[in-house]
Amino acid sequence: DSGVTQTPKHLITATGQRVTLRCSPRSGDLSVYWYQQSLDQGLQFLIQYYNGEERAKGNILERFSAQQFPDLHSELNLSSLELGDSALYFCASSKTPGTGGEKLFFGSGTQLSVL
Amino acid sequence: GNSVTQMEGPVTLSEEAFLTINCTYTATGYPSLFWYVQYPGEGLQLLLKATKADDKGSNKGFEATYRKETTSFHLEKGSVQVSDSAVYFCALRANTGNQFYFGTGTSLTVIP
């Protein structure tokens, strides 16, 4: 158990809908990362927050947004969903934002299926 | 820019065979290098890491050496087991900025 909790584990929805994925980082970790894993694109970095502020942005679509709350949990909002958004979404956490050798702790992911 | 390229899978080996999964990287500065493993139905977990040139990371019989001259971090194991069946990801973290860059993953299946 990595200590990172993601909910829900599975989500099935229809095109055009909006969903929210939730992540609770490990106790004491201030940084949260979101990744999208699909069969054809591998693991794609979406966005990172550190202590409530956006720290780095990757290949995140404008239809997607995220935030990190004062209690350090994070939510990833996906709107106007398309079939191609079906993927496994991972959250990861770390203590600090910038230590080179620091590792990430991953949650078990949310499997999103857009029908 | 920063990127990681790893050999495509899937890789299928017999138990006790020797494993090599190639990984090369492109980075500005001096990155830290990682191998993560993803077992079926689970999230990624750190397998090993190396933070500077010539460092060797090792764990559970797996090892990888940070080779700056060839910009490589190949994963090796002398004798694989069925329980090693998983997807392996090579990753780097640049020493500037906060992003981890992952390879596309290599699926390994070990058959008895």
Side-chain angles (χ1 to χ4, degrees):
Chain A
D1 182 9
S2 67
V4 179
T5 304
Q6 286 188 250
T7 56
K9 285 196 179 310
H10 302 278
L11 199 47
I12 302 174
T13 187
T15 55
Q17 295 298 304
R18 173 189 168 95
V19 297
T20 297
L21 313 183
R22 182 187 169 102
C23 169
S24 294
R26 276 190 336 151
S27 177
D29 284 359
L30 299 178
S31 197
V32 169
Y33 304 74
W34 286 98
Y35 287 87
Q36 179 192 58
Q37 185 180 34
S38 56
L39 286 174
D40 57 340
Q41 298 239 332
L43 200 63
Q44 298 286 315
F45 168 70
L46 296 178
I47 197 164
Q48 181 208 359
Y49 282 83
Y50 176 71
N51 205 18
E53 295 193 4
E54 184 183 302
R55 193 79 178 190
K57 212 168 197 177
N59 302 321
I60 188 166
L61 300 172
E62 285 191 13
R63 300 183 285 109
F64 296 0
S65 64
Q67 53 183 326
Q68 186 179 27
F69 295 86
D71 67 353
L72 300 177
H73 91 271
S74 177
E75 292 181 357
L76 179 67
N77 300 296
L78 315 176
S79 61
S80 303
L81 284 168
E82 302 174 359
L83 295 176
D85 297 326
S86 296
L88 191 51
Y89 291 83
F90 283 109
C91 168
S93 73
S94 64
K95 269 197 173 17
T96 74
T99 302
E102 187 176 30
K103 66 181 183 181
L104 297 180
F105 292 86
F106 281 81
S108 53
T110 293
Q111 179 67 59
L112 173 66
S113 299
V114 182
L115 306 178
Chain B
N2 299 306
S3 66
V4 174
T5 303
Q6 62 182 103
M7 65 183 281
E8 291 190 17
V11 174
T12 302
L13 294 173
S14 297
E15 208 164 21
E16 299 183 4
F18 184 86
L19 169 71
T20 299
I21 301 178
N22 289 337
C23 171
T24 56
Y25 68 89
T26 302
T28 51
Y30 303 95
S32 294
L33 302 174
F34 305 80
W35 277 99
Y36 278 81
V37 58
Q38 183 181 26
Y39 297 103
E42 298 183 13
L44 281 72
Q45 52 187 279
L46 180 69
L47 180 60
L48 53 85
K49 70 175 184 181
T51 57
K52 61 182 188 299
D54 300 324
D55 267 3
K56 179 186 284 189
S58 61
N59 185 26
K60 300 181 182 179
F62 290 90
E63 55 183 38
T65 302
Y66 188 141
R67 300 281 188 208
K68 193 168 187 304
E69 63 276 13
T70 54
T71 61
S72 66
F73 193 55
H74 305 320
L75 182 68
E76 296 181 336
K77 186 174 185 182
S79 175
V80 293
Q81 305 300 312
V82 172
S83 57
D84 294 327
S85 298
V87 180
Y88 293 82
F89 291 87
C90 185
L92 74 80
R93 185 174 199 171
N95 64 345
T96 56
N98 309 305
Q99 293 187 38
F100 278 77
Y101 298 83
F102 285 85
T104 51
T106 301
S107 175
L108 169 68
T109 300
V110 180
I111 53 178

